[in-house]
């Protein structure tokens, strides 16, 4: 098992927490340059009534608070689903060095599926991207959630 796998398992655990509030099961973890987990979060839109409370944004906010700066250079964001445009923009603006994600996001993906925000050469920061880490597990969690929603 790689470090990315271990971090993704933490993110999957966070995604399962989102289910308790009825939110889409997406989880995120931020790892600092020393390899320590400094923030974890799940989708909290339903619980907070906040459309921006995606797991990635909440985790980035928590990591910034821990580090005492909005600049998250050297950090890795691990998330169970390919980020949307808002989250991809947020991680670029936070100067995250590395993004690791699980499942591809066919409906809103902004890291290669529909858009590629993080690799846009017009931006001043482009993180390394690792995709497909424990993708089947992440996708299965989402599929189960949406099947239950459809009844």
């Amino acid at each position: 098992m790689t470090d990315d796998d271990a971090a993704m398992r933490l993110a999957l655990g966070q995604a399962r927490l989102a289910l308790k509030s009825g939110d889409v099961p997406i989880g995120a973890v931020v790892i600092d340059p020393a390899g320590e987990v400094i923030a974890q979060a799940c989708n909290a839109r339903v619980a907070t009534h906040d459309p921006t409370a995606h797991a990635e944004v909440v985790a980035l906010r928590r990591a910034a608070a821990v580090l005492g700066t909005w600049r998250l250079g050297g950090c890795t964001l691990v998330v169970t689903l390919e980020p949307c445009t808002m989250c991809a923009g947020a991680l670029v603006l936070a100067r995250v060095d590395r993004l690791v994600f699980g499942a591809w996001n066919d409906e809103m993906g902004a890291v290669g599926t529909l858009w590629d925000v993080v690799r846009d050469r017009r931006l001043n920061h482009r993180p390394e991207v690792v995709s497909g880490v424990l993708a089947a597990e992440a996708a299965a969690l989402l599929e189960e959630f949406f099947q239950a929603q459809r009844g």
Side-chain angles (χ1 to χ4, degrees):
M1 178 165 66
T2 68
D3 289 342
D4 288 345
D5 288 350
M8 186 60 73
R9 291 201 187 291
L10 291 174
L12 286 164
Q14 288 294 309
R16 288 182 188 93
L17 292 176
L19 292 171
K20 293 181 180 180
S21 66
D23 216 325
V24 179
I26 299 171
V29 173
V30 178
I31 301 166
D32 73 8
E36 299 297 321
V37 174
I38 58 170
Q40 299 184 58
C42 64
N43 265 8
R45 297 171 312 154
V46 172
T48 63
H49 312 290
D50 179 355
T52 69
H54 288 202
E56 301 96 309
V57 171
V58 176
L60 291 172
R61 287 176 181 156
R62 289 177 180 169
V66 167
L67 295 177
T69 180
W70 62 268
R71 291 180 182 267
L72 302 180
C75 291
T76 297
L77 174 66
V78 179
V79 62
T80 57
L81 182 66
E82 175 188 4
C84 69
T85 54
M86 176 182 69
C87 296
L91 74 96
V92 168
L93 291 172
R95 310 299 195 267
V96 169
D97 278 357
R98 193 164 176 267
L99 167 66
V100 175
F101 71 88
W104 291 94
N105 185 347
D106 294 336
E107 294 182 11
M108 299 182 76
V111 185
T113 298
L114 298 179
W115 301 278
D116 202 349
V117 172
V118 300
R119 293 183 193 98
D120 191 317
R121 295 204 176 278
R122 295 169 291 185
L123 300 176
N124 66 352
H125 181 75
R126 288 178 295 282
E128 173 190 351
V129 176
V130 177
S131 60
V133 176
L134 302 181
E137 289 181 48
L141 193 57
L142 290 160
E143 287 169 17
E144 289 171 25
F145 172 79
F146 285 113
Q147 283 177 355
Q149 294 295 307
R150 290 184 209 106

